[in-house]
Amino acid sequence: MGASTSLVGVLPAYASIGITAPAVLVILRLVQGLALGGEYGGAATYVAEHSPPAKRGAFTSWIQTTATLGFFLSLLVVLGVRLSVGEAKFADWGWRVPFIFSIVLVTMSVWIRLSLHESPVFIKMKAENATSKAPIKEAFGQWKHVRLVLVALFGLVAGQSVIWYAGQFYALFFLTQTLKVEAVTANLLVAGALVIGTPMIVFFGSLSDHIGRKPIMLAGFLLAALHFFPLFHGLTKYANPALAAAQARAPVTVVADPRTCSFQFNPVGTSEFVNSCDIAKSFLAKASVNYRNVDAPAGTVAAVHVGDRVIESFEGATLSSAERKAKVKEFYAALAKQINAVGYPGCADPIT
């Protein structure tokens, strides 16, 4: 986990090694995530095996706070580096500093790990020769065990991960990329929310010792399902009221043949789209403009409806690269002019 995190800080840029850069970044993030899952599961088990049975929820809840507090501390580090070196240098090389600095934390965690002893539960199992001789084979080679793994994965862990990442990481992304809130302000808002929310983890962990784990988790799933959409609508209304007003006054609709709309994966911004639907949606995605899809008959050239104005896209498959770029520039300019005319803001106003 530590190696993959620190390696992100020294990863060559796209300009140096091309498409290999984002590919290696994705691999490092996958390794980091898988290692993190093992670390968290091991830590929770270790603490649980040291805990009194009547306080197991309260004790293990502190493990969950480390994820939230870790995110909080990372925001502070990012803010510190951003303010110290300035936005231009942070975008150029300063973003690497927190990743490289993580080596210090890895060194501390290794020292802590080497200082720990086995839990009393494990020592007792080992003394009774009750440990597994082939844990991987027993866990994944028998259906009754695989069934429990699948239930835990899709019935518990997947839902919790979606809620946690949506409520913290995606909320920050939504504020900065979709609502165009200034980065420092967005980081401070999320950091404040983490400070408020972290004590609740311990509270509900302790409560689970009295009323059970299942009611707490199911209640959390239900609350998230009922409130996530209203909460993100609320973020839009209060973080960027001009954007919320524009969406209500002049909603954007993309009318296109759904068979011509592809899945857009453009992490480094170098993909060149040729279908009219993709060309239109690419602009709206870059401009963080919310839109609704309407299916059109086969062969229809995609069009963007902004309020009562219609801007028609074009098919670029038969055009040369130079002609296509010229048409894209013209189409983007017309669409941007209309988007601005109906009041879609370029960024959130920090005063309002």
Side-chain angles (χ1 to χ4, degrees):
M1 183 176 66
S4 59
T5 302
S6 56
L7 284 174
V8 171
V10 296
L11 182 65
Y14 180 85
S16 301
I17 59 175
I19 194 66
T20 305
V24 173
L25 176 62
V26 171
I27 292 172
L28 289 174
R29 286 292 290 117
L30 288 172
V31 173
Q32 184 189 47
L34 290 170
L36 175 62
E39 285 294 307
Y40 176 81
T45 302
Y46 187 83
V47 172
E49 290 179 351
H50 279 82
S51 306
K55 294 185 177 181
R56 191 162 291 161
F59 279 40
T60 55
S61 66
W62 288 97
I63 297 296
Q64 183 58 44
T65 65
T66 60
T68 303
L69 290 174
F71 185 35
F72 172 76
L73 292 174
S74 71
L75 291 177
L76 295 184
V77 172
V78 169
L79 279 172
V81 176
R82 188 188 293 270
L83 294 175
S84 297
V85 303
E87 289 295 327
K89 291 182 179 179
F90 182 83
D92 183 26
W93 55 266
W95 64 269
R96 297 177 180 273
V97 174
F99 290 98
I100 297 173
F101 180 73
S102 68
I103 296 174
V104 177
L105 300 180
V106 174
T107 304
M108 293 172 59
S109 67
V110 170
W111 174 75
I112 293 172
R113 179 61 55 83
L114 293 175
S115 303
L116 298 177
H117 302 286
E118 294 291 357
S119 69
V121 174
F122 183 80
I123 293 174
K124 183 174 182 294
M125 290 175 60
K126 196 171 182 180
E128 296 173 352
N129 199 28
T131 56
S132 173
K133 300 296 189 294
I136 296 178
K137 182 179 179 181
E138 289 182 13
F140 299 103
Q142 301 178 33
W143 170 244
K144 63 177 182 179
H145 294 155
V146 173
R147 179 177 173 275
L148 291 175
V149 171
L150 293 176
V151 169
L153 176 60
F154 294 105
L156 295 174
V157 179
Q160 291 174 338
S161 298
V162 168
I163 292 171
W164 192 80
Y165 278 96
Q168 298 187 25
F169 283 96
Y170 182 69
L172 180 60
F173 175 86
F174 185 74
L175 283 168
T176 56
Q177 303 302 312
T178 302
L179 301 184
K180 303 298 184 181
V181 176
E182 195 270 328
V184 173
T185 301
N187 278 270
L188 289 173
L189 288 171
V190 173
L194 294 175
V195 171
I196 296 171
T198 299
M200 302 304 292
I201 297 174
V202 179
F203 171 76
F204 284 106
S206 301
L207 185 60
S208 73
D209 289 323
H210 301 285
I211 66 174
R213 323 291 182 213
K214 187 181 294 185
I216 296 293
M217 289 188 286
L218 291 178
F221 291 154
L222 178 62
L223 288 172
L226 293 176
H227 292 95
F228 261 19
F229 281 100
L231 284 171
F232 277 91
H233 281 296
L235 276 178
T236 303
K237 179 180 179 181
Y238 292 105
N240 195 337
L243 175 61
Q247 290 175 346
R249 181 175 57 253
V252 177
T253 303
V254 177
V255 180
D257 176 3
R259 291 174 297 182
T260 65
C261 301
S262 63
F263 176 75
Q264 296 190 16
F265 182 69
N266 191 20
V268 294
T270 58
S271 297
E272 189 175 0
F273 299 109
V274 297
N275 294 330
S276 60
C277 178
D278 292 336
I279 291 170
K281 289 186 174 183
S282 176
F283 171 85
L284 296 174
K286 290 177 182 177
S288 299
V289 175
N290 188 40
Y291 60 87
R292 182 171 61 92
N293 292 298
V294 173
D295 292 347
T300 302
V301 176
V304 181
H305 295 240
V306 184
D308 57 358
R309 173 94 185 273
V310 179
I311 299 100
E312 191 171 284
S313 185
F314 66 94
E315 295 295 343
T318 59
L319 302 177
S320 67
S321 180
E323 290 174 326
R324 188 162 52 246
K325 288 180 180 179
K327 290 281 288 182
V328 166
K329 185 177 181 180
E330 180 184 346
F331 170 70
Y332 280 9
L335 195 50
K337 181 179 179 180
Q338 181 60 19
I339 289 292
N340 293 331
V342 297
Y344 280 81
C347 61
D349 186 344
I351 296 177
T352 58

